[in-house]
Amino acid sequence: GKWHIGMTFFDKAGKPINQNGLPAVKRIDYSRAIPDAPIHRGFDYFFGTVCCPTTDWLYAFVDGDRIPVPPTHIVDRTPLPKHPYSNDNRPGMIAPGFDLEEVDMVFLERSLKFLDNHAKQSPKKPFFLFHSMQAVHLPSFPGDAFKGKTKAGPHGDFIFEMDFVVGELMKKLKNHGMADNTLVIFTSDNGPHNEAKHNPERFKPSGPLRGMKRTLTEGGIRVPTIAWWPNTVPKNTVSEAPFYFGDLMGTACEIAVASKPEDLDSVSFLPTLKADSNKQLKHRYLYWEFYERTFRQAVIMKEWKLIRSDMDDSKIELYDLSKDIHEDKNIASEHPALAQRLISYMEEAHTPHPTWEVRGRVRRR
């Protein structure tokens, strides 16, 4: 599926292209290998896209460390669906045969084939499969088999397609007798987009949380995680323990009885999966930073959440999440010492960079 954390492409002179957008994509020399593709970062096999498959400037599949079918022309959006959820794909370069409405079916076919091959060739060996869908990222382009299958419009159909993909992967695990000894984790990389804007009666994707994607309120960063592991994860159990994506590495290492990198800030949540909270180690705090037009930071320590906007200490918000999950009441003025303590954690966690320079009372390092 989509990789979306950067790959290096070169122009015909062999120089790396460090820009984004249509002019940059037009400069790519597709005869050259991608030196930092997933297969050079620990994966044995990769098939997917370098960015959001139906959103960004390069509409083409990467196979291993090459793009076997390079883009040849700018995407023609004329035949694409027209609805409120369809306006998020840029006029980038597209490869012949790249169907923006069937991307997830292509990804599914490859993952199912991987599972078939593994069951045939190495049934006793462990495996790791990372399947990253386009659904339900905008634009909502459900495949032909899913159009009109719900009463919730094209975005509802897209959610239905996502559900189908998960079901097919689970079915394949069961058919090959691998289900009982396989941990399946389903989650999202951030909160929802603006689906509710177009159909507020049908879609309430943030539930009781405020905000959405690109915000640091809970609606933007708190996401559900479902873990399924027969005979290990107890049925019908729920945990409110906070974790972040980096903890997946520590968890995988503990399950595989492998050593994690010493400099990796990752806490295994295997005890939580086993519903053994007494053995669960915890982060002292969790930290986020986000840069898109403005720079924002957030830190959570136990029930306390602090958000700083525009790199300015005068624009801080402090919430008690145990009492105010919607983050309505800013109590920073009531707890100045606590606010400064959380700001110090921001300074501790932030990695200095000239683009994201922290101003205000926090000293520069």
Side-chain angles (χ1 to χ4, degrees), residues 297 306-318 330 332-333 339-340 343 359-362:
Q297 298 169 288
L306 187 134
I307 302 174
R308 177 166 59 178
S309 304
D310 298 327
M311 302 180 289
D312 189 340
D313 281 4
S314 67
K315 298 180 180 180
I316 61 172
E317 305 165 58
L318 179 65
N330 182 1
S333 61
Q340 283 303 307
I343 288 173
R359 298 194 299 268
R361 289 192 294 273
V362 177

Side-chain angles (χ1 to χ4, degrees), residues 336-347:
L338 174 62
Q340 283 303 307
R341 179 183 176 188
L342 295 177
I343 288 173
S344 72
Y345 290 158
M346 288 180 171
E347 179 192 19

Side-chain angles (χ1 to χ4, degrees), residues 132-305:
S132 182
M133 288 177 275
Q134 167 65 5
V136 291
H137 190 293
L138 297 181
S140 297
F141 288 157
D144 284 342
F146 306 95
K147 293 177 181 178
K149 295 299 184 180
T150 72
K151 296 180 180 180
H155 191 67
D157 295 343
F158 212 23
I159 295 173
F160 180 69
E161 180 173 357
M162 177 187 70
D163 186 66
F164 173 83
V165 169
V166 175
E168 290 299 294
L169 292 171
M170 298 293 290
K171 186 188 302 181
K172 183 66 71 173
L173 289 174
K174 294 174 182 178
N175 289 345
H176 285 308
M178 298 187 290
D180 288 345
N181 195 31
T182 300
L183 168 62
V184 178
I185 294 179
F186 175 90
T187 188
S188 176
D189 57 344
N190 49 242
H193 208 264
N194 59 352
E195 297 90 347
K197 180 178 72 173
H198 303 298
N199 193 343
E201 296 302 317
R202 172 68 66 174
F203 298 116
K204 297 178 176 63
S206 296
L209 309 178
R210 178 162 67 93
M212 58 186 64
K213 179 179 179 178
R214 298 186 178 90
T215 71
L216 290 181
T217 48
E218 292 297 277
I221 61 176
R222 180 186 290 227
V223 296
T225 297
I226 301 171
W228 182 87
W229 193 0
N231 304 317
T232 301
V233 175
K235 293 182 179 180
N236 303 318
T237 54
V238 178
S239 172
E240 296 293 335
F243 300 102
Y244 87 113
F245 277 115
D247 293 331
L248 288 168
M249 183 66 166
T251 306
C253 287
E254 182 174 2
I255 292 171
V257 195
S259 299
K260 70 177 183 180
E262 293 182 1
D263 60 346
L264 182 67
D265 181 17
S266 183
V267 172
S268 168
F269 54 82
L270 181 58
T272 293
L273 292 178
K274 294 181 175 181
D276 192 354
S277 58
N278 293 329
K279 295 182 180 180
Q280 181 61 61
L281 298 178
K282 298 179 181 179
H283 291 278
R284 187 158 52 104
Y285 60 84
L286 292 174
Y287 171 76
W288 291 260
E289 58 182 57
F290 178 76
Y291 181 81
E292 189 169 300
R293 300 183 185 90
T294 61
F295 182 77
R296 284 156 279 169
Q297 298 169 288
V299 65
I300 292 178
M301 181 191 69
K302 296 182 179 178
E303 71 271 26
W304 300 104
K305 164 87 169 285

Side-chain angles (χ1 to χ4, degrees), residues 2 51 100 145 151 172 203 323 355:
K2 63 176 179 179
C51 48
L100 276 72
K151 296 180 180 180
K172 183 66 71 173
F203 298 116
K323 301 176 181 178
T355 303

